[in-house]
Amino acid sequence: MALYWCTECIPLAVTALLPVILFPMMGIMESSEVCIQYLKDSNMLFIGGLLVAIAVEHWNLHRRIALQVLLIVGVKPSLLMIGFMSTTAFLSMWISNTASTAMMLPIANAVLQQLCDTEARADERDQDRAAAEDGQENQGFEITETKEINGLQLKQLDNNINMEVKVRSPEAEQRRIKREQKYVKLSKGMSLSVCYAASIGGTATLTGTTPNVILKGQIDELFPENGGVINFASWFGFAFPNMVLMLALSWLWLQFMFLGFNLRKSFGCGTKKVGDEEAYQVIKDEYKKLGRMNFAEGCVLVIFTLLVLLWFTREPGFMPGWATVLFNQEKTYVTDGTVAILMSTLFFCIPSKLPRFWAPAETPPPLLTWDIVHEKMPWNILLLLGGGFALAHGSEKSGLSMWLGESLIPLQSIPPFAISILLCLLVAMFTECSSNTATTTLFLPILASMATAIKIHPLYVMFPCTIAASLAFMLPVATPPNAIAFSYGNLKVIDMAKAGFILNFVGVITINIAINTWGVAMFQLNTFPSWANFTKVP
């Protein structure tokens, strides 16, 4: 299965179904026991999160949020990059990384194109004014502004010669080339900042990207007595500060690579250009096209907000949550998956338009229909999740996990922080060539066996490696956001590789700083937990 997942010789979801065939035939597990692994609580959490994301995308709420943030941030180059990165990261916390990248990149390109065009027109006007003041203008030609993208055209007045020419002095030509090079570089930086921010932002929430859900599922599968150590609130408490730190360091690196550290130019300190105002107007016009927030958007926003609040307050950790008080006094009846399904079903019950009792009886469609969900739901990922759980369960039943753990006992002589860094680097390099879902599915059961064998907290290695699986920054084929950014044509593979290589190391260092500081305090990672001594009984 590992070979099939890495090479993708058959679809990943089909590979994930192999345990249903092979485990019963090999006498490892009964078919009924294998099939149960494909629809667990973690899958329900994933489905609920995806339904919310589909509703947000369907009613364009994510676009409204994005444009509103950009209106607040402004269009100075560095501020613009901060704005696009923070907005993309925030959206990726709740909707798919692919959708947030696909939405943000066209907006970024439109704004940059407007900045480039207005600067070109300003340069042409300055050249014309300087020529007029020096008395050097050519009286046989007249400069006329057009609405074409390339700016100004020079039309010959002599009716006997019907041709258009464009006259530039050597200095003007040099300025044009320099300007175009600057905006090509800025465009590369902006494209990379958006796709990287999408991958980084997905690590902040439990439902932000598939590897996060896989970790929760594997922890619950391999260590059933863990007491719900991973839930939405605990994940967010650890991963969100790490995401902010990683995002800030990524911005600094991309700023250095593509913009430099000239504060006056990058931040526009003490300057105000007409081009900035026109580029700002592009964002403003896009926002105006959305019109006022309608009833459907308002309902989606309210449901989304309630879902996040219920997730945070279900079991916050520092006090009893509402689920503990109302339902979970004896057992964990209500989980994050229960809440996700509860709130997402409301999309199928609430109408998309406010009913009008005085109008003719017309039934408005609900906020979501099953046809929309069927079209946009990535069903293959659900099978991939189930295949990972089945593989982990099969490893326990067959004794493979115990054998792997015993084989890794010599690692006890290596300091835990060194083990964590080396494993994160390994996973980060591996995920460049394989999907992050397949990478975490393969590595997490092995890491759990290793942790129990050498008596370190399982989360100490599983948590960092799960986040490291999202650090696929070097190759266009590594993640869909990278591929989307590359498809715009401005980037070369070497551009992405140079920027991503350093960011991989930055991400690994950031994750390990986080796990050794507030991660230790949150999850008591410096002790071996009692629940890690118990695994699923065969």
Side-chain angles (χ1 to χ4, degrees):
M1 284 181 72
L3 184 64
Y4 280 19
W5 270 329
C6 294
T7 59
E8 295 190 38
C9 55
I10 59 175
L12 295 177
V14 178
T15 303
L17 290 171
L18 290 180
V20 178
I21 304 168
L22 298 178
F23 285 177
M25 288 184 172
M26 293 177 175
I28 297 171
M29 283 192 290
E30 295 177 6
S31 179
S32 58
E33 189 179 357
V34 179
C35 294
I36 287 173
Q37 309 303 316
Y38 283 81
L39 209 59
K40 289 179 167 288
D41 177 66
S42 299
N43 296 69
M44 290 294 108
L45 174 63
F46 189 66
I47 291 171
L50 283 175
L51 287 172
V52 175
I54 290 169
V56 169
E57 290 177 41
H58 180 65
W59 292 105
N60 251 352
L61 187 61
H62 59 320
R63 187 175 181 83
R64 185 179 295 277
I65 294 169
L67 292 172
Q68 185 63 60
V69 172
L70 293 175
L71 286 173
I72 295 169
V73 171
V75 294
K76 301 295 181 184
S78 286
L79 293 176
L80 194 63
M81 186 177 281
I82 292 172
F84 274 105
M85 288 185 77
S86 58
T87 307
T88 308
F90 175 77
L91 292 173
S92 293
M93 290 164 58
W94 315 106
I95 68 174
S96 76
N97 302 348
T98 307
S100 55
T101 306
M103 187 200 72
M104 295 300 292
L105 274 177
I107 301 172
N109 278 295
V111 172
L112 289 179
Q113 185 64 52
Q114 186 63 43
L115 283 170
C116 183
D117 291 347
T118 51
E119 190 171 327
R121 288 196 290 269
D123 282 350
E124 295 283 359
R125 284 195 296 267
D126 291 344
Q127 181 191 0
D128 183 42
R129 192 179 302 114
E133 290 173 358
D134 295 341
Q136 294 174 350
E137 70 241 1
N138 188 340
Q139 297 298 332
F141 296 93
E142 180 184 68
I143 295 179
T144 58
E145 264 192 64
T146 70
K147 293 184 180 178
E148 306 231 353
I149 291 177
N150 291 329
L152 300 170
Q153 293 179 330
L154 298 173
K155 293 187 179 180
Q156 193 169 0
L157 293 179
D158 189 349
N159 293 327
N160 297 323
I161 303 175
N162 184 19
M163 63 181 291
E164 292 184 3
V165 296
K166 193 160 185 173
V167 178
R168 284 195 184 95
S169 66
E171 294 81 4
E173 185 68 19
Q174 193 174 2
R175 282 201 304 271
R176 181 189 68 80
I177 293 171
K178 191 176 179 180
R179 181 182 65 248
E180 288 180 357
Q181 288 175 344
K182 180 183 81 171
Y183 276 98
V184 165
K185 202 171 183 181
L186 183 58
S187 178
K188 288 180 179 181
M190 205 65 72
S191 297
L192 287 174
S193 70
V194 169
C195 68
Y196 290 166
S199 296
I200 293 169
T203 64
T205 59
L206 187 54
T207 55
T209 188
T210 314
N212 306 356
V213 184
I214 292 174
L215 173 63
K216 175 176 169 50
Q218 295 282 14
I219 286 287
D220 291 344
E221 171 66 29
L222 299 171
F223 306 107
E225 303 296 324
N226 70 79
V229 65
I230 297 290
N231 57 39
F232 192 90
S234 64
W235 182 284
F236 188 85
F238 171 78
F240 182 75
N242 177 70
M243 183 273 285
V244 172
L245 181 59
M246 204 185 306
L247 202 67
L249 293 174
S250 301
W251 170 77
L252 284 173
W253 171 239
L254 293 173
Q255 166 81 13
F256 173 74
M257 274 194 73
F258 297 101
L259 296 175
F261 279 106
N262 188 323
L263 295 181
R264 187 174 179 83
K265 285 184 179 178
S266 298
F267 288 92
C269 299
T271 63
K272 190 173 183 179
K273 296 180 181 178
V274 176
D276 294 341
E277 294 176 2
E278 294 187 19
Y280 186 81
Q281 189 62 40
V282 170
I283 302 175
K284 209 169 185 179
D285 291 342
E286 288 293 317
Y287 188 76
K288 282 182 180 177
K289 286 179 187 176
L290 296 175
R292 295 181 62 185
M293 183 178 283
N294 57 34
F295 178 74
E297 284 181 86
C299 288
V300 172
L301 182 60
V302 169
I303 293 172
F304 170 72
T305 307
L306 282 174
L307 173 62
V308 175
L309 286 174
L310 288 172
W311 267 339
F312 275 119
T313 56
R314 185 186 70 85
E315 197 167 330
F318 58 88
M319 60 177 286
W322 60 266
T324 306
V325 174
L326 298 176
F327 304 104
N328 297 351
Q329 293 176 356
E330 297 178 5
K331 292 182 179 179
T332 307
Y333 290 105
V334 174
T335 65
D336 286 335
T338 313
V339 179
I341 296 298
L342 168 66
M343 300 307 294
S344 58
T345 51
L346 296 179
F347 292 123
F348 301 93
C349 304
I350 299 174
S352 57
K353 293 180 181 178
L354 192 64
R356 296 181 179 178
F357 299 103
W358 59 88
E362 290 183 8
T363 306
L367 294 171
L368 274 185
T369 63
W370 190 252
D371 289 338
I372 296 169
V373 173
H374 181 69
E375 181 184 344
K376 295 187 176 182
M377 178 73 77
W379 301 107
N380 59 323
I381 301 296
L382 294 173
L383 289 176
L384 198 54
L385 281 171
F389 300 150
L391 189 62
H393 192 68
S395 299
E396 286 291 329
K397 295 282 287 187
S398 64
L400 176 63
S401 293
M402 186 179 296
W403 176 81
L404 279 173
E406 291 172 354
S407 303
L408 295 168
I409 286 178
L411 290 175
Q412 275 183 320
S413 58
I414 303 175
F417 74 88
I419 294 175
S420 177
I421 291 173
L422 290 173
L423 289 172
C424 284
L425 288 171
L426 175 64
V427 169
M429 292 299 111
F430 194 84
T431 198
E432 297 288 352
C433 309
S434 175
S435 76
N436 55 10
T437 305
T439 302
T440 45
T441 303
L442 290 173
F443 274 90
L444 289 183
I446 299 171
L447 297 178
S449 301
M450 182 201 73
T452 52
I454 63 177
K455 301 298 179 183
I456 63 172
H457 200 298
L459 286 181
Y460 188 81
V461 288
M462 295 175 77
F463 220 138
C465 288
T466 300
I467 298 178
S470 296
L471 305 183
F473 298 140
M474 288 178 60
L475 299 174
V477 297
T479 63
N482 290 11
I484 293 169
F486 191 78
S487 68
Y488 273 77
N490 298 322
L491 290 166
K492 296 178 181 177
V493 175
I494 190 65
D495 297 322
M496 190 172 281
K498 282 195 298 186
F501 182 73
I502 299 298
L503 281 186
N504 274 350
F505 286 98
V506 169
V508 168
I509 292 168
T510 305
I511 294 165
N512 280 276
I513 289 172
I515 203 72
N516 285 289
T517 51
W518 64 86
V520 170
M522 285 183 65
F523 300 105
Q524 289 80 47
L525 299 180
N526 50 0
T527 59
F528 186 69
S530 58
W531 51 259
N533 284 315
F534 298 94
T535 55
K536 201 98 172 182
V537 179

